[in-house]
Amino acid sequence: MREKQLAVCDRDDQYLDMLQAYLLKKKPAGFEILVFGSVCQAVAASQEECFEILLIGEHTYNTDAEEIHALKTFILQEDGLSGIKGIPFLSKYQSMEALIRQALDAFALDEACASAVRCGKNRTRLVCFYSPSRHSAQTLASLCAGELLTDWGKKVLYLNLSAFSGFEELLGIQYNADITDFMYFVLKHSDKLLYKLEGMKHTIHGMDYLPPALDYMDLMELDEQDWQNVLDTLLYSGDYTHIVIDLTEVCQGFYHILERSDKIYLVNGKTAAREQAMLHQFQNLLLAKEHGEIIEKATILALQGNWEAQGAALDQLSVSELGAYMKGILQEYEYE
């Protein structure tokens, strides 16, 4: 089965080289990347194999471009003065990450476009972070773990399931869609998960993540079966080596995610009596519900030092004091 093809046609050699280098490095959703400096080259290539996606420069496009065979065509808009109608535009001079995200999101939503089913040889490892006391270090520890795994050459997807992540303010970004939008799409179109994921994900320290829920009530409306279905699809998509989940009780798939996890880290204070009592209550609850296997997979993290101050630079956690602590913890898991 041939790879799906993403073709770029633009007579601007410098832009073409930059976009090609970016796409070959990222290889979004497993697409084969083709580049053409002229319309006639693209027409000839598409006669042999129809492109799944074509990105063509606004001032490269001409009447001959109508002969290019592509399932989905986008005009790379430069000044908007070409008068081209009937073909969707994408801003050419935005970030390449944003450009490809928009193209793949539109491709995923198009019912006429092919699926992206892919199954990995090895099941993705699921690592879960949770704090019965809602310890504020939980998110820092889970982010740090994902960044460390990325530094070690792993391909990581991070999912934050907290009610209020604060990511928009902390990272200086505004999200147009969030993890619940992704889940609702995947529940209906699991065969297009990779396209939707590529169209929605963001990156921090080389680690992919989906925007956390903007309204926690949207998370609560997803039932346990929904979580099981999406998790099954993600774990066997073959696109990641690790999925790191920052888990809270807002998620109705709470116990299922813990059960499916390969490793669980319980973030807790070392000396606070109240936090210890909450941890013990959680452990007793697991035993009462006959979830003893969850306890067996769990390691308690008692974070010390000035970890709070390290939250100011979320993309540099792996080289912080917290990173040094987490490195030793994760190495035990990775090489056990």
Side-chain angles (χ1 to χ4, degrees):
M1 181 178 179
R2 75 169 184 89
E3 288 186 292
K4 294 178 174 60
Q5 297 178 333
L6 189 159
V8 185
C9 182
D10 201 301
R11 63 189 184 191
D12 182 340
D13 293 338
Q14 184 176 5
Y15 180 85
L16 195 63
D17 289 344
M18 291 173 58
L19 186 55
Q20 180 184 24
Y22 173 83
L23 290 171
L24 289 175
K25 180 180 179 181
K26 296 293 186 180
K27 203 169 185 184
F31 276 95
E32 179 185 0
I33 307 303
L34 305 174
V35 295
F36 305 98
S38 69
V39 170
C40 64
Q41 292 175 337
V43 170
S46 72
Q47 304 305 309
E48 298 180 10
E49 295 281 0
C50 177
F51 307 143
E52 271 68 34
I53 297 177
L54 170 66
L55 306 177
I56 183 168
E58 179 180 6
H59 294 300
T60 302
Y61 186 90
N62 56 36
T63 54
D64 291 338
E66 297 176 6
E67 302 301 319
I68 300 176
H69 295 175
L71 291 178
K72 194 77 174 176
T73 299
F74 299 93
I75 301 297
L76 297 174
Q77 187 176 46
E78 299 169 40
D79 55 28
L81 301 177
S82 61
I84 301 172
K85 296 181 180 180
I87 303 175
F89 281 79
L90 298 174
S91 176
K92 180 176 179 178
Y93 299 114
Q94 61 181 314
S95 74
M96 292 181 181
E97 180 182 7
L99 171 66
I100 300 305
R101 184 188 307 133
Q102 292 169 14
L104 289 180
D105 196 40
F107 186 78
L109 292 171
D110 193 326
E111 295 290 346
C113 294
S115 65
V117 176
R118 188 161 79 221
C119 185
K121 294 180 180 178
N122 300 310
R123 175 185 174 277
T124 299
R125 302 187 82 175
L126 182 61
V127 183
C128 188
F129 285 76
Y130 172 66
S131 173
S133 62
R134 298 181 179 272
H135 201 293
S136 55
Q138 178 181 325
T139 292
L140 292 184
S142 56
L143 278 171
C144 183
E147 291 180 15
L148 281 166
L149 290 169
T150 301
D151 288 344
W152 297 341
K154 310 299 184 183
K155 192 169 183 185
V156 183
L157 176 65
Y158 170 83
L159 304 177
N160 184 298
L161 303 183
S162 58
F164 301 100
S165 70
F167 274 21
E168 287 192 319
E169 182 173 336
L170 291 170
L171 298 174
I173 192 170
Q174 186 171 1
Y175 302 121
N176 296 319
D178 63 27
I179 188 172
T180 57
D181 298 302
F182 171 78
M183 290 190 64
Y184 281 123
F185 177 87
V186 171
L187 288 169
K188 293 182 178 180
H189 307 281
S190 62
D191 58 336
K192 291 188 176 183
L193 175 143
L194 294 180
Y195 299 147
K196 189 64 176 177
L197 184 60
E198 199 72 41
M200 282 192 62
K201 72 182 184 183
H202 292 257
T203 304
I204 180 171
H205 194 86
M207 174 181 69
D208 292 342
Y209 74 95
L210 288 173
L214 302 177
D215 183 347
Y216 72 93
M217 290 300 295
D218 293 336
L219 274 177
M220 296 182 71
E221 289 178 3
L222 292 158
D223 62 30
E224 183 173 349
Q225 188 61 53
D226 292 336
W227 284 101
Q228 290 183 30
N229 294 341
V230 172
L231 202 56
D232 282 339
T233 307
L234 280 172
L235 289 176
Y236 292 97
S237 70
D239 218 39
Y240 292 96
T241 61
H242 294 72
I243 295 176
V244 176
I245 296 186
D246 188 350
L247 183 64
T248 72
E249 306 90 343
V250 172
C251 166
Q252 289 197 54
F254 178 78
Y255 289 111
H256 178 75
I257 291 175
L258 289 173
E259 289 172 347
R260 297 289 298 277
S261 297
D262 296 285
K263 187 63 183 178
I264 300 166
Y265 293 102
L266 301 176
V267 183
N268 211 52
K270 188 172 184 180
T271 58
R274 182 170 176 272
E275 290 190 10
Q276 288 298 316
M278 296 172 78
L279 174 62
H280 293 156
Q281 181 179 349
F282 175 63
Q283 292 172 323
N284 291 335
L285 177 62
L286 291 176
L287 291 174
K289 287 182 170 291
E290 300 183 347
H291 290 314
E293 75 283 357
I294 292 177
I295 297 176
E296 294 174 2
K297 293 185 289 187
T299 294
I300 298 174
L301 299 184
L303 303 184
Q304 302 294 304
N306 188 30
W307 58 265
E308 296 96 334
Q310 296 160 40
L314 296 183
D315 60 339
Q316 297 298 319
L317 291 173
S318 66
V319 294
S320 67
E321 180 183 345
L322 176 61
Y325 171 74
M326 288 299 303
K327 183 176 182 180
I329 298 292
L330 282 178
Q331 282 178 331
E332 292 183 14
Y333 162 62
E334 282 297 304
Y335 301 111
E336 64 185 10

